[in-house]
Amino acid sequence: MIFTKHKWPSLAVMLVMALLLLCIPASANTSSSHAKKSKAESTKVEKKKVEKKNAKKKNNKKQAKKNGTKKSKAKKKKSKKDAKKIESQAAQKATQQRNTAETDSSVVKIDANDPKAFTKALLYEKDGVEFKVVGKKKSEDAPTMPPPAAEKPGDYFDFSTMLVPVTHEAPIGSKYGIRDHRLHRGVDVSVIKDEPVVAALPGEVIISKYNKGGYGHYVLVEHENGIQTLYGHLSERSVQVGDRVFPGDVVGLAGNTGKSSAAHLHFEIRYGEINIDPEIVINFPKWELQKGADHLSKKQLTTAHYNIQKKLSKENVYVVHKGDTVEDVARWFNISVDALYRINNLKPKKPLKVGMKLRGCQ
């Protein structure tokens, strides 16, 4: 083909356009590829940022939790420290108060382990005396020994909770037993007139009256275990029939009423018709209970009662001789004439017969 001169420029133009058309798809593909790559990288960067942000949040939470735990522990530690401080201050205050009470001579101290602490406190309170119980009561580490297997709880008496009916150490003026051919059913405790006499056990007052020929003013209290206690020769009775009394309650004032030659307390312990020697239970001169008072055999006490009754049956009889008068026999028994008539069911002023057997007590 022969190209003319005027066709060369148009041919060149066409060639350039063809080259451009060939380059445009490649350029477009390259641009698209670069865009996709850029977008992937951007997504990856965003993802890393999010992960980094989440990791930071997680670390912040862990740190906050750790700090909270530390604060909680520190708070608990401080609370314990404050509690110990308060306890220490309270102990110091108690010690100061105790020391103040001890240095104050007007305050009477009662040992917490004193078996007479209850009665002392009762009397001090009644007299308006300021007192303070000092020391700690010792716990009984040793367990109470059970009774022998052959014994039952009802086979013995437990007087471990009994209080001494007087408020101090006191000698015995006359013991339990046969006296003047009669049975002296209790003990005569030497006391000061008008001093308080207290209930030995909880119970109910069943007698509160005056007996001219014997007990004078006296009170009889019945207790839940079948035991009865009697308080005689009182100058004044403080309770009435039906009253409930508790250990330490004042039942009356010591005196010299009835058949009595001096102020004293006549004290009896009874169980039905059985008389129990009070000195088996109480050591009056030492103002304490006897050892073994918490486990006294009923069988042994009953046997002792009937043994003394057997002996009394021989002692408590007077055989009237010729010339004996009622006054003579009453003097022999150391009782009043009226009592002799009453005990033997005699008619007043009836003469005695020789050989008649008379008793001085029932």
Side-chain angles (χ1 to χ4, degrees):
M1 176 183 276
I2 298 172
F3 293 93
T4 62
K5 187 176 179 181
H6 69 270
K7 285 181 179 180
W8 278 108
S10 61
L11 183 63
V13 171
M14 289 174 67
L15 184 61
V16 170
M17 288 178 69
L19 286 171
L20 285 171
L21 287 170
L22 287 170
C23 291
I24 285 171
S27 178
N29 289 337
T30 304
S31 296
S32 177
S33 175
H34 281 298
K36 286 180 180 179
K37 189 175 180 180
S38 176
K39 188 176 181 182
E41 287 177 355
S42 177
T43 303
K44 192 174 181 181
V45 170
E46 288 295 327
K47 190 176 180 181
K48 283 184 178 180
K49 284 183 178 179
V50 171
E51 288 177 352
K52 191 175 180 181
K53 191 175 181 181
N54 290 338
K56 190 175 180 181
K57 283 183 178 179
K58 193 173 182 180
N59 287 334
N60 288 341
K61 284 183 179 180
K62 284 184 178 179
Q63 190 64 32
K65 188 175 181 181
K66 191 175 181 181
N67 292 339
T69 305
K70 285 183 179 179
K71 286 182 181 178
S72 178
K73 286 183 178 179
K75 193 174 181 181
K76 285 183 180 179
K77 191 173 181 181
K78 186 179 179 183
S79 178
K80 286 183 179 179
K81 192 174 180 181
D82 291 343
K84 284 184 179 180
K85 188 176 180 181
I86 292 170
E87 187 178 348
S88 176
Q89 289 175 349
Q92 288 177 359
K93 189 175 180 181
T95 303
Q96 289 174 356
Q97 289 177 348
R98 196 183 306 115
N99 291 338
T100 303
E102 288 175 356
T103 53
D104 187 358
S105 59
S106 65
V107 179
V108 179
K109 292 180 288 185
I110 303 176
D111 187 354
N113 294 293
D114 188 344
K116 308 155 193 174
F118 178 82
T119 306
K120 286 181 178 179
L122 182 76
L123 295 173
Y124 288 145
E125 185 177 2
K126 182 182 178 182
D127 295 338
V129 177
E130 188 177 356
F131 66 90
K132 184 176 183 64
V133 179
V134 297
K136 291 184 178 180
K137 192 169 180 62
K138 296 176 182 177
S139 59
E140 297 180 2
D141 297 329
T144 305
M145 294 298 292
E151 272 188 346
K152 297 177 182 178
D155 292 339
Y156 61 89
F157 292 111
D158 181 1
F159 289 102
S160 60
T161 59
M162 175 176 272
L163 283 185
V164 183
V166 293
T167 57
H168 55 82
E169 298 173 352
I172 297 297
S174 184
K175 293 180 174 291
Y176 167 87
I178 296 175
R179 184 182 71 178
D180 296 326
H181 314 288
R182 298 182 303 117
L183 179 61
H184 187 227
R185 300 176 187 275
V187 293
D188 291 342
V189 186
S190 298
V191 292
I192 301 170
K193 190 176 182 297
D194 293 333
E195 71 171 72
V197 174
V198 300
L201 292 167
E204 182 179 342
V205 177
I206 58 174
I207 296 178
S208 177
K209 68 178 185 179
Y210 180 78
N211 174 252
K212 182 180 178 181
Y215 295 124
H217 286 291
Y218 77 102
V219 171
L220 182 64
V221 181
E222 187 167 39
H223 310 288
E224 294 177 357
N225 56 2
I227 292 291
Q228 294 179 345
T229 51
L230 184 144
Y231 313 81
H233 303 306
L234 304 174
S235 64
E236 181 182 316
R237 289 174 279 120
S238 304
V239 291
Q240 299 176 349
V241 174
D243 286 351
R244 289 286 302 173
V245 294
F246 297 91
D249 286 350
V250 177
V251 296
L253 303 180
N256 187 29
T257 59
K259 186 173 176 53
S260 171
S261 57
H264 69 278
L265 169 67
H266 176 80
F267 180 67
E268 294 183 14
I269 302 176
R270 303 174 178 176
Y271 180 68
E273 63 177 8
I274 307 299
N275 301 117
I276 300 173
D277 182 359
E279 286 194 276
I280 293 175
V281 182
I282 301 172
N283 185 332
F284 284 93
K286 290 187 176 181
W287 200 47
E288 63 185 14
L289 296 180
Q290 297 283 17
K291 185 178 179 181
D294 60 334
H295 196 272
L296 292 176
S297 169
K298 283 184 180 180
K299 185 177 181 180
Q300 291 180 3
L301 293 174
T302 302
T303 301
H305 169 80
Y306 285 117
N307 284 342
I308 202 168
Q309 289 293 332
K310 187 176 180 181
K311 185 178 180 182
L312 183 64
S313 65
K314 298 176 182 178
E315 296 254 358
N316 186 37
V317 176
Y318 182 87
V319 180
V320 177
H321 297 87
K322 185 177 180 180
D324 286 340
T325 63
V326 175
E327 289 77 10
D328 294 331
V329 179
R331 195 178 302 112
W332 191 81
F333 282 120
N334 194 26
I335 58 176
S336 66
V337 172
D338 290 340
L340 185 69
Y341 279 130
R342 185 183 68 256
I343 293 169
N344 293 278
N345 296 319
L346 297 175
K347 292 181 179 181
K349 298 183 180 180
K350 183 178 180 180
L352 301 177
K353 295 181 180 180
V354 176
M356 182 183 289
K357 294 181 179 181
L358 301 176
R359 293 177 295 115
C361 62
Q362 295 176 335

